[in-house]
Amino acid sequence: MTALVNVIVTLGMLCVVPAGLRLIDPLGFRRTARLWPLPAALGALCLWLPRGAPATALAAVYAAACLTLAARAPGVLLRRRRPAGAAPGGASAARTGRTGFRTGSAAGGADTPGPARLAVATALVSPSVAGTALVAERAGRRLFGFDLDVLALTVPHFHFAGFAAALVAGLVCRSAAPGPVPRWAAYSVPAGTLLVLLGYFVDDWAELAGAVVLTGGMWAVALTTWREIRPRARRDRTTRTLLATSAVILVATMLGALWWALGEATGIVHPTLTWMAATHGLGNALGFALCSVLAWGRLTRGPGGPGTADLPDRRTAEPLHCPTAAPPSSRTADRQETTP
């Protein structure tokens, strides 16, 4: 099981996290995403070393990088929102990609965190939980009394159920037509992740409650992706396939998570951790997280990419996190859009 978990975590560190950062804001997180492979490579390397000082030191470097992401979460959650169509200097809304995420300047207006920002803030905080558990596990230290096996499984959980799932829930909520299902996804995925974490400290029943909430949120993500996001990528068969795969895989893998949590709480027969890693863990890593970030990367590609007009803005177009100033290309696009 250890080797499989290490492969899953390595995928999360090296592929899913940097790709996800570009989806949050390709401008504001551009430098972070470009530099991320260095601490991620060190974090991945420490997984394959014996427990001890060298592995702990490498894990600490990765954990420090994760903490820098967590430090940016308040800025995402409390970012000021610009009224519809507004932009600095009276210009029109900045150019958007296929998900309706603006690549323009910082927004103004009332502070409105919203479910999408809550989900993305959760995504930014989650790797720090994984990094902290990784340092303790590589040092051979029981953190808060948890066994080393539990700490080892916390690392992939908060890369995928924490970072990837919360991020995709935020993207789905931001791009879908307003409604209760996308909002439920954006609220319940962070809530379920937090409840599962609290369940570690309370008991198996609390963890089961977290699994139920998280599963409901993930199924809401899958339903919205299948029913609304996938059809709007009609010109790009590859993107449609990736979105369909991620939605279908979620239904199956989260059933496994419910079964396991129910078994832990009630004592009924349920899969072993090794079986869960090979099914739930690998399925979520490859079938959901990787397919999702690849699909959303294609959807948010700039003008000229395949199917650019397939996913029009369904609400006020704005990024989940804004840089402090618009790049010259975006300002030029603004001027062109406002020219009669």
Side-chain angles (χ1 to χ4, degrees):
M1 182 184 74
T2 300
L4 179 58
V5 171
N6 288 348
V7 170
I8 292 172
V9 174
T10 298
L11 175 68
M13 291 176 170
L14 291 174
C15 300
V16 174
V17 172
L21 293 177
R22 295 185 182 96
L23 293 174
I24 295 173
D25 183 353
L27 297 175
F29 282 87
R30 179 171 50 192
R31 180 178 176 83
T32 303
R34 187 169 63 245
L35 297 177
W36 189 262
L38 176 58
L42 298 179
L45 177 61
C46 84
L47 296 169
W48 303 95
L49 296 177
R51 292 190 180 106
T56 304
L58 296 178
V61 174
Y62 181 70
C66 293
L67 289 173
T68 65
L69 297 183
R72 302 183 69 171
V76 172
L77 190 62
L78 301 176
R79 186 182 59 81
R80 294 175 65 82
R81 183 179 181 182
R82 194 198 332 272
S92 65
R95 183 176 58 193
T96 61
R98 276 175 284 175
T99 59
F101 294 132
R102 183 185 291 131
T103 59
S105 59
D111 288 337
T112 54
R117 290 191 199 89
L118 175 63
V120 173
T122 301
L124 290 174
V125 170
S126 293
S128 63
V129 178
T132 302
L134 180 64
V135 172
E137 191 275 333
R138 292 288 81 195
R141 304 282 184 176
R142 291 166 60 98
L143 182 64
F144 301 119
F146 293 119
D147 293 336
L148 298 184
D149 288 344
V150 174
L151 294 176
L153 293 174
T154 299
V155 180
H157 181 79
F158 278 89
H159 275 92
F160 294 100
F163 179 83
L167 173 60
V168 174
L171 291 169
V172 165
C173 179
R174 199 73 196 113
S175 297
V181 175
R183 286 198 303 271
W184 164 253
Y187 280 128
S188 58
V189 171
T193 302
L194 178 60
L195 287 173
V196 170
L197 178 61
L198 292 177
Y200 292 173
F201 297 92
V202 182
D203 57 24
D204 291 334
W205 287 100
E207 192 170 351
L208 173 60
V212 170
V213 174
L214 181 58
T215 298
M218 297 297 280
W219 283 350
V221 169
L223 177 62
T224 307
T225 298
W226 180 272
R227 189 172 61 184
E228 184 169 346
I229 306 299
R230 179 186 59 89
R232 286 154 59 190
R234 58 190 177 276
R235 298 181 185 176
D236 188 346
R237 180 175 297 178
T238 299
T239 301
R240 284 171 57 89
T241 301
L242 290 170
L243 290 170
T245 300
S246 69
V248 171
I249 288 293
L250 269 185
V251 175
T253 57
M254 294 313 295
L255 275 175
L258 278 179
W259 184 13
W260 185 85
L262 182 62
E264 287 288 297
T266 64
I268 66 172
V269 176
H270 59 284
T272 63
L273 286 177
T274 300
W275 183 252
M276 286 296 292
T279 55
H280 172 80
L282 192 60
N284 274 342
L286 295 178
F288 166 66
L290 186 59
C291 286
S292 291
V293 296
L294 290 176
W296 282 95
R298 295 173 66 87
L299 289 172
T300 56
R301 192 174 301 171
T308 299
D310 288 348
L311 202 58
D313 186 14
R314 300 297 293 253
R315 57 182 75 220
T316 303
E318 61 179 63
L320 294 171
H321 180 65
C322 263
T324 56
S329 60
S330 294
R331 290 194 294 268
T332 301
D334 286 346
R335 288 195 296 269
Q336 292 173 348
E337 290 173 6
T338 55
T339 301

PDB file of all heavy atoms in Angstrom, residues 235-266:
ATOM      1  N   ARG A 235     -17.771  21.659 -28.570  1.00  0.00           N
ATOM      2  CA  ARG A 235     -16.871  21.633 -29.721  1.00  0.00           C
ATOM      3  C   ARG A 235     -15.563  20.909 -29.454  1.00  0.00           C
ATOM      4  O   ARG A 235     -14.743  20.755 -30.355  1.00  0.00           O
ATOM      5  CB  ARG A 235     -16.552  23.066 -30.165  1.00  0.00           C
ATOM      6  CG  ARG A 235     -17.756  23.852 -30.620  1.00  0.00           C
ATOM      7  CD  ARG A 235     -17.333  25.228 -31.043  1.00  0.00           C
ATOM      8  NE  ARG A 235     -18.476  26.070 -31.374  1.00  0.00           N
ATOM      9  CZ  ARG A 235     -18.396  27.351 -31.698  1.00  0.00           C
ATOM     10  NH1 ARG A 235     -17.214  27.942 -31.719  1.00  0.00           N
ATOM     11  NH2 ARG A 235     -19.481  28.043 -31.986  1.00  0.00           N
ATOM     12  N   ASP A 236     -15.361  20.505 -28.233  1.00  0.00           N
ATOM     13  CA  ASP A 236     -14.085  19.905 -27.850  1.00  0.00           C
ATOM     14  C   ASP A 236     -14.360  18.527 -27.247  1.00  0.00           C
ATOM     15  O   ASP A 236     -14.698  18.390 -26.080  1.00  0.00           O
ATOM     16  CB  ASP A 236     -13.378  20.810 -26.837  1.00  0.00           C
ATOM     17  CG  ASP A 236     -11.956  20.355 -26.536  1.00  0.00           C
ATOM     18  OD1 ASP A 236     -11.611  19.219 -26.896  1.00  0.00           O
ATOM     19  OD2 ASP A 236     -11.211  21.148 -25.935  1.00  0.00           O
ATOM     20  N   ARG A 237     -14.205  17.493 -28.054  1.00  0.00           N
ATOM     21  CA  ARG A 237     -14.530  16.142 -27.603  1.00  0.00           C
ATOM     22  C   ARG A 237     -13.622  15.690 -26.467  1.00  0.00           C
ATOM     23  O   ARG A 237     -14.060  14.982 -25.552  1.00  0.00           O
ATOM     24  CB  ARG A 237     -14.423  15.173 -28.783  1.00  0.00           C
ATOM     25  CG  ARG A 237     -14.748  13.726 -28.413  1.00  0.00           C
ATOM     26  CD  ARG A 237     -14.744  12.827 -29.634  1.00  0.00           C
ATOM     27  NE  ARG A 237     -15.767  13.222 -30.584  1.00  0.00           N
ATOM     28  CZ  ARG A 237     -15.954  12.612 -31.754  1.00  0.00           C
ATOM     29  NH1 ARG A 237     -15.182  11.600 -32.107  1.00  0.00           N
ATOM     30  NH2 ARG A 237     -16.917  13.033 -32.571  1.00  0.00           N
ATOM     31  N   THR A 238     -12.355  16.083 -26.508  1.00  0.00           N
ATOM     32  CA  THR A 238     -11.425  15.687 -25.447  1.00  0.00           C
ATOM     33  C   THR A 238     -11.866  16.249 -24.106  1.00  0.00           C
ATOM     34  O   THR A 238     -11.882  15.543 -23.090  1.00  0.00           O
ATOM     35  CB  THR A 238     -10.001  16.171 -25.773  1.00  0.00           C
ATOM     36  OG1 THR A 238      -9.566  15.572 -26.999  1.00  0.00           O
ATOM     37  CG2 THR A 238      -9.036  15.797 -24.664  1.00  0.00           C
ATOM     38  N   THR A 239     -12.245  17.524 -24.088  1.00  0.00           N
ATOM     39  CA  THR A 239     -12.692  18.145 -22.845  1.00  0.00           C
ATOM     40  C   THR A 239     -13.973  17.498 -22.349  1.00  0.00           C
ATOM     41  O   THR A 239     -14.130  17.242 -21.149  1.00  0.00           O
ATOM     42  CB  THR A 239     -12.909  19.649 -23.057  1.00  0.00           C
ATOM     43  OG1 THR A 239     -11.682  20.237 -23.496  1.00  0.00           O
ATOM     44  CG2 THR A 239     -13.336  20.329 -21.756  1.00  0.00           C
ATOM     45  N   ARG A 240     -14.893  17.215 -23.250  1.00  0.00           N
ATOM     46  CA  ARG A 240     -16.137  16.552 -22.861  1.00  0.00           C
ATOM     47  C   ARG A 240     -15.850  15.190 -22.241  1.00  0.00           C
ATOM     48  O   ARG A 240     -16.469  14.803 -21.241  1.00  0.00           O
ATOM     49  CB  ARG A 240     -17.047  16.391 -24.083  1.00  0.00           C
ATOM     50  CG  ARG A 240     -17.738  17.662 -24.525  1.00  0.00           C
ATOM     51  CD  ARG A 240     -18.433  17.456 -25.871  1.00  0.00           C
ATOM     52  NE  ARG A 240     -19.392  16.364 -25.815  1.00  0.00           N
ATOM     53  CZ  ARG A 240     -20.667  16.504 -25.470  1.00  0.00           C
ATOM     54  NH1 ARG A 240     -21.128  17.700 -25.136  1.00  0.00           N
ATOM     55  NH2 ARG A 240     -21.488  15.474 -25.467  1.00  0.00           N
ATOM     56  N   THR A 241     -14.904  14.464 -22.808  1.00  0.00           N
ATOM     57  CA  THR A 241     -14.560  13.138 -22.280  1.00  0.00           C
ATOM     58  C   THR A 241     -13.934  13.244 -20.899  1.00  0.00           C
ATOM     59  O   THR A 241     -14.264  12.460 -19.996  1.00  0.00           O
ATOM     60  CB  THR A 241     -13.596  12.422 -23.245  1.00  0.00           C
ATOM     61  OG1 THR A 241     -14.213  12.293 -24.528  1.00  0.00           O
ATOM     62  CG2 THR A 241     -13.222  11.048 -22.718  1.00  0.00           C
ATOM     63  N   LEU A 242     -13.053  14.209 -20.717  1.00  0.00           N
ATOM     64  CA  LEU A 242     -12.426  14.393 -19.413  1.00  0.00           C
ATOM     65  C   LEU A 242     -13.461  14.766 -18.357  1.00  0.00           C
ATOM     66  O   LEU A 242     -13.430  14.255 -17.229  1.00  0.00           O
ATOM     67  CB  LEU A 242     -11.352  15.476 -19.499  1.00  0.00           C
ATOM     68  CG  LEU A 242     -10.086  15.118 -20.284  1.00  0.00           C
ATOM     69  CD1 LEU A 242      -9.227  16.365 -20.499  1.00  0.00           C
ATOM     70  CD2 LEU A 242      -9.286  14.044 -19.570  1.00  0.00           C
ATOM     71  N   LEU A 243     -14.376  15.658 -18.707  1.00  0.00           N
ATOM     72  CA  LEU A 243     -15.418  16.063 -17.753  1.00  0.00           C
ATOM     73  C   LEU A 243     -16.355  14.901 -17.435  1.00  0.00           C
ATOM     74  O   LEU A 243     -16.735  14.696 -16.275  1.00  0.00           O
ATOM     75  CB  LEU A 243     -16.213  17.234 -18.319  1.00  0.00           C
ATOM     76  CG  LEU A 243     -15.473  18.572 -18.410  1.00  0.00           C
ATOM     77  CD1 LEU A 243     -16.294  19.581 -19.209  1.00  0.00           C
ATOM     78  CD2 LEU A 243     -15.169  19.125 -17.015  1.00  0.00           C
ATOM     79  N   ALA A 244     -16.723  14.142 -18.446  1.00  0.00           N
ATOM     80  CA  ALA A 244     -17.609  12.995 -18.215  1.00  0.00           C
ATOM     81  C   ALA A 244     -16.930  11.956 -17.336  1.00  0.00           C
ATOM     82  O   ALA A 244     -17.549  11.393 -16.420  1.00  0.00           O
ATOM     83  CB  ALA A 244     -18.004  12.376 -19.555  1.00  0.00           C
ATOM     84  N   THR A 245     -15.652  11.710 -17.584  1.00  0.00           N
ATOM     85  CA  THR A 245     -14.905  10.742 -16.774  1.00  0.00           C
ATOM     86  C   THR A 245     -14.854  11.175 -15.324  1.00  0.00           C
ATOM     87  O   THR A 245     -15.084  10.376 -14.404  1.00  0.00           O
ATOM     88  CB  THR A 245     -13.483  10.571 -17.322  1.00  0.00           C
ATOM     89  OG1 THR A 245     -13.544  10.101 -18.676  1.00  0.00           O
ATOM     90  CG2 THR A 245     -12.685   9.579 -16.478  1.00  0.00           C
ATOM     91  N   SER A 246     -14.551  12.440 -15.091  1.00  0.00           N
ATOM     92  CA  SER A 246     -14.440  12.929 -13.715  1.00  0.00           C
ATOM     93  C   SER A 246     -15.773  12.820 -12.982  1.00  0.00           C
ATOM     94  O   SER A 246     -15.813  12.471 -11.798  1.00  0.00           O
ATOM     95  CB  SER A 246     -13.952  14.381 -13.707  1.00  0.00           C
ATOM     96  OG  SER A 246     -14.931  15.267 -14.229  1.00  0.00           O
ATOM     97  N   ALA A 247     -16.879  13.077 -13.687  1.00  0.00           N
ATOM     98  CA  ALA A 247     -18.191  13.013 -13.047  1.00  0.00           C
ATOM     99  C   ALA A 247     -18.577  11.579 -12.704  1.00  0.00           C
ATOM    100  O   ALA A 247     -19.070  11.293 -11.610  1.00  0.00           O
ATOM    101  CB  ALA A 247     -19.244  13.646 -13.958  1.00  0.00           C
ATOM    102  N   VAL A 248     -18.359  10.661 -13.629  1.00  0.00           N
ATOM    103  CA  VAL A 248     -18.735   9.271 -13.407  1.00  0.00           C
ATOM    104  C   VAL A 248     -17.873   8.642 -12.309  1.00  0.00           C
ATOM    105  O   VAL A 248     -18.375   7.917 -11.437  1.00  0.00           O
ATOM    106  CB  VAL A 248     -18.617   8.475 -14.718  1.00  0.00           C
ATOM    107  CG1 VAL A 248     -18.796   6.982 -14.464  1.00  0.00           C
ATOM    108  CG2 VAL A 248     -19.647   8.962 -15.732  1.00  0.00           C
ATOM    109  N   ILE A 249     -16.582   8.922 -12.337  1.00  0.00           N
ATOM    110  CA  ILE A 249     -15.669   8.345 -11.341  1.00  0.00           C
ATOM    111  C   ILE A 249     -16.059   8.790  -9.936  1.00  0.00           C
ATOM    112  O   ILE A 249     -15.998   8.007  -8.978  1.00  0.00           O
ATOM    113  CB  ILE A 249     -14.222   8.759 -11.652  1.00  0.00           C
ATOM    114  CG1 ILE A 249     -13.713   8.017 -12.885  1.00  0.00           C
ATOM    115  CG2 ILE A 249     -13.313   8.503 -10.471  1.00  0.00           C
ATOM    116  CD1 ILE A 249     -13.551   6.523 -12.694  1.00  0.00           C
ATOM    117  N   LEU A 250     -16.483  10.043  -9.789  1.00  0.00           N
ATOM    118  CA  LEU A 250     -16.856  10.550  -8.465  1.00  0.00           C
ATOM    119  C   LEU A 250     -17.984   9.740  -7.842  1.00  0.00           C
ATOM    120  O   LEU A 250     -17.981   9.476  -6.635  1.00  0.00           O
ATOM    121  CB  LEU A 250     -17.283  12.014  -8.563  1.00  0.00           C
ATOM    122  CG  LEU A 250     -16.211  13.068  -8.371  1.00  0.00           C
ATOM    123  CD1 LEU A 250     -16.826  14.449  -8.388  1.00  0.00           C
ATOM    124  CD2 LEU A 250     -15.441  12.850  -7.084  1.00  0.00           C
ATOM    125  N   VAL A 251     -18.961   9.364  -8.643  1.00  0.00           N
ATOM    126  CA  VAL A 251     -20.092   8.612  -8.104  1.00  0.00           C
ATOM    127  C   VAL A 251     -19.613   7.302  -7.494  1.00  0.00           C
ATOM    128  O   VAL A 251     -19.984   6.934  -6.370  1.00  0.00           O
ATOM    129  CB  VAL A 251     -21.132   8.341  -9.213  1.00  0.00           C
ATOM    130  CG1 VAL A 251     -22.255   7.467  -8.690  1.00  0.00           C
ATOM    131  CG2 VAL A 251     -21.686   9.662  -9.745  1.00  0.00           C
ATOM    132  N   ALA A 252     -18.735   6.599  -8.201  1.00  0.00           N
ATOM    133  CA  ALA A 252     -18.270   5.295  -7.727  1.00  0.00           C
ATOM    134  C   ALA A 252     -17.309   5.428  -6.544  1.00  0.00           C
ATOM    135  O   ALA A 252     -17.440   4.710  -5.540  1.00  0.00           O
ATOM    136  CB  ALA A 252     -17.589   4.549  -8.877  1.00  0.00           C
ATOM    137  N   THR A 253     -16.342   6.333  -6.645  1.00  0.00           N
ATOM    138  CA  THR A 253     -15.330   6.410  -5.587  1.00  0.00           C
ATOM    139  C   THR A 253     -15.908   6.913  -4.273  1.00  0.00           C
ATOM    140  O   THR A 253     -15.482   6.468  -3.198  1.00  0.00           O
ATOM    141  CB  THR A 253     -14.172   7.320  -6.022  1.00  0.00           C
ATOM    142  OG1 THR A 253     -14.670   8.621  -6.357  1.00  0.00           O
ATOM    143  CG2 THR A 253     -13.435   6.741  -7.210  1.00  0.00           C
ATOM    144  N   MET A 254     -16.876   7.820  -4.329  1.00  0.00           N
ATOM    145  CA  MET A 254     -17.447   8.315  -3.082  1.00  0.00           C
ATOM    146  C   MET A 254     -18.384   7.301  -2.435  1.00  0.00           C
ATOM    147  O   MET A 254     -18.575   7.319  -1.217  1.00  0.00           O
ATOM    148  CB  MET A 254     -18.176   9.643  -3.333  1.00  0.00           C
ATOM    149  CG  MET A 254     -17.248  10.783  -3.754  1.00  0.00           C
ATOM    150  SD  MET A 254     -15.763  10.957  -2.736  1.00  0.00           S
ATOM    151  CE  MET A 254     -16.475  11.412  -1.153  1.00  0.00           C
ATOM    152  N   LEU A 255     -18.953   6.393  -3.224  1.00  0.00           N
ATOM    153  CA  LEU A 255     -19.679   5.271  -2.631  1.00  0.00           C
ATOM    154  C   LEU A 255     -18.734   4.424  -1.787  1.00  0.00           C
ATOM    155  O   LEU A 255     -19.081   3.970  -0.689  1.00  0.00           O
ATOM    156  CB  LEU A 255     -20.319   4.418  -3.727  1.00  0.00           C
ATOM    157  CG  LEU A 255     -21.682   4.866  -4.246  1.00  0.00           C
ATOM    158  CD1 LEU A 255     -22.117   3.974  -5.417  1.00  0.00           C
ATOM    159  CD2 LEU A 255     -22.729   4.831  -3.143  1.00  0.00           C
ATOM    160  N   GLY A 256     -17.523   4.218  -2.308  1.00  0.00           N
ATOM    161  CA  GLY A 256     -16.525   3.479  -1.549  1.00  0.00           C
ATOM    162  C   GLY A 256     -16.152   4.183  -0.261  1.00  0.00           C
ATOM    163  O   GLY A 256     -15.968   3.543   0.787  1.00  0.00           O
ATOM    164  N   ALA A 257     -16.039   5.508  -0.302  1.00  0.00           N
ATOM    165  CA  ALA A 257     -15.707   6.270   0.902  1.00  0.00           C
ATOM    166  C   ALA A 257     -16.810   6.143   1.950  1.00  0.00           C
ATOM    167  O   ALA A 257     -16.528   6.003   3.146  1.00  0.00           O
ATOM    168  CB  ALA A 257     -15.478   7.736   0.541  1.00  0.00           C
ATOM    169  N   LEU A 258     -18.069   6.210   1.502  1.00  0.00           N
ATOM    170  CA  LEU A 258     -19.187   6.039   2.431  1.00  0.00           C
ATOM    171  C   LEU A 258     -19.180   4.653   3.061  1.00  0.00           C
ATOM    172  O   LEU A 258     -19.412   4.494   4.270  1.00  0.00           O
ATOM    173  CB  LEU A 258     -20.509   6.264   1.700  1.00  0.00           C
ATOM    174  CG  LEU A 258     -20.977   7.702   1.509  1.00  0.00           C
ATOM    175  CD1 LEU A 258     -22.294   7.711   0.755  1.00  0.00           C
ATOM    176  CD2 LEU A 258     -21.133   8.412   2.849  1.00  0.00           C
ATOM    177  N   TRP A 259     -18.946   3.646   2.250  1.00  0.00           N
ATOM    178  CA  TRP A 259     -18.906   2.272   2.740  1.00  0.00           C
ATOM    179  C   TRP A 259     -17.835   2.107   3.806  1.00  0.00           C
ATOM    180  O   TRP A 259     -18.051   1.510   4.861  1.00  0.00           O
ATOM    181  CB  TRP A 259     -18.679   1.327   1.567  1.00  0.00           C
ATOM    182  CG  TRP A 259     -18.713  -0.142   1.915  1.00  0.00           C
ATOM    183  CD1 TRP A 259     -19.158  -0.705   3.083  1.00  0.00           C
ATOM    184  CD2 TRP A 259     -18.293  -1.220   1.072  1.00  0.00           C
ATOM    185  NE1 TRP A 259     -19.035  -2.076   3.024  1.00  0.00           N
ATOM    186  CE2 TRP A 259     -18.507  -2.416   1.801  1.00  0.00           C
ATOM    187  CE3 TRP A 259     -17.769  -1.285  -0.222  1.00  0.00           C
ATOM    188  CZ2 TRP A 259     -18.203  -3.669   1.267  1.00  0.00           C
ATOM    189  CZ3 TRP A 259     -17.475  -2.539  -0.747  1.00  0.00           C
ATOM    190  CH2 TRP A 259     -17.685  -3.712  -0.012  1.00  0.00           C
ATOM    191  N   TRP A 260     -16.652   2.643   3.533  1.00  0.00           N
ATOM    192  CA  TRP A 260     -15.549   2.503   4.484  1.00  0.00           C
ATOM    193  C   TRP A 260     -15.852   3.244   5.794  1.00  0.00           C
ATOM    194  O   TRP A 260     -15.647   2.701   6.885  1.00  0.00           O
ATOM    195  CB  TRP A 260     -14.264   3.050   3.874  1.00  0.00           C
ATOM    196  CG  TRP A 260     -13.069   2.840   4.749  1.00  0.00           C
ATOM    197  CD1 TRP A 260     -12.281   1.723   4.826  1.00  0.00           C
ATOM    198  CD2 TRP A 260     -12.534   3.773   5.694  1.00  0.00           C
ATOM    199  NE1 TRP A 260     -11.290   1.897   5.764  1.00  0.00           N
ATOM    200  CE2 TRP A 260     -11.420   3.141   6.311  1.00  0.00           C
ATOM    201  CE3 TRP A 260     -12.876   5.064   6.083  1.00  0.00           C
ATOM    202  CZ2 TRP A 260     -10.656   3.777   7.290  1.00  0.00           C
ATOM    203  CZ3 TRP A 260     -12.116   5.690   7.058  1.00  0.00           C
ATOM    204  CH2 TRP A 260     -11.023   5.052   7.652  1.00  0.00           C
ATOM    205  N   ALA A 261     -16.346   4.482   5.688  1.00  0.00           N
ATOM    206  CA  ALA A 261     -16.637   5.258   6.898  1.00  0.00           C
ATOM    207  C   ALA A 261     -17.755   4.605   7.712  1.00  0.00           C
ATOM    208  O   ALA A 261     -17.703   4.572   8.948  1.00  0.00           O
ATOM    209  CB  ALA A 261     -17.020   6.684   6.521  1.00  0.00           C
ATOM    210  N   LEU A 262     -18.756   4.060   7.016  1.00  0.00           N
ATOM    211  CA  LEU A 262     -19.841   3.377   7.719  1.00  0.00           C
ATOM    212  C   LEU A 262     -19.320   2.129   8.421  1.00  0.00           C
ATOM    213  O   LEU A 262     -19.709   1.832   9.562  1.00  0.00           O
ATOM    214  CB  LEU A 262     -20.945   3.009   6.731  1.00  0.00           C
ATOM    215  CG  LEU A 262     -22.187   2.326   7.315  1.00  0.00           C
ATOM    216  CD1 LEU A 262     -22.896   3.249   8.302  1.00  0.00           C
ATOM    217  CD2 LEU A 262     -23.138   1.905   6.185  1.00  0.00           C
ATOM    218  N   GLY A 263     -18.450   1.411   7.768  1.00  0.00           N
ATOM    219  CA  GLY A 263     -17.875   0.220   8.373  1.00  0.00           C
ATOM    220  C   GLY A 263     -17.034   0.537   9.592  1.00  0.00           C
ATOM    221  O   GLY A 263     -17.075  -0.187  10.605  1.00  0.00           O
ATOM    222  N   GLU A 264     -16.271   1.619   9.527  1.00  0.00           N
ATOM    223  CA  GLU A 264     -15.454   2.014  10.674  1.00  0.00           C
ATOM    224  C   GLU A 264     -16.330   2.396  11.868  1.00  0.00           C
ATOM    225  O   GLU A 264     -15.986   2.126  13.020  1.00  0.00           O
ATOM    226  CB  GLU A 264     -14.558   3.194  10.291  1.00  0.00           C
ATOM    227  CG  GLU A 264     -13.405   2.830   9.368  1.00  0.00           C
ATOM    228  CD  GLU A 264     -12.336   2.032  10.071  1.00  0.00           C
ATOM    229  OE1 GLU A 264     -11.720   2.548  11.013  1.00  0.00           O
ATOM    230  OE2 GLU A 264     -12.135   0.851   9.678  1.00  0.00           O
ATOM    231  N   ALA A 265     -17.484   3.005  11.587  1.00  0.00           N
ATOM    232  CA  ALA A 265     -18.353   3.466  12.675  1.00  0.00           C
ATOM    233  C   ALA A 265     -19.204   2.349  13.257  1.00  0.00           C
ATOM    234  O   ALA A 265     -19.454   2.310  14.469  1.00  0.00           O
ATOM    235  CB  ALA A 265     -19.248   4.605  12.187  1.00  0.00           C
ATOM    236  N   THR A 266     -19.652   1.435  12.400  1.00  0.00           N
ATOM    237  CA  THR A 266     -20.607   0.425  12.854  1.00  0.00           C
ATOM    238  C   THR A 266     -20.004  -0.961  13.004  1.00  0.00           C
ATOM    239  O   THR A 266     -20.618  -1.830  13.637  1.00  0.00           O
ATOM    240  CB  THR A 266     -21.783   0.331  11.867  1.00  0.00           C
ATOM    241  OG1 THR A 266     -21.299  -0.130  10.598  1.00  0.00           O
ATOM    242  CG2 THR A 266     -22.443   1.699  11.700  1.00  0.00           C
TER     243      THR A 266
END
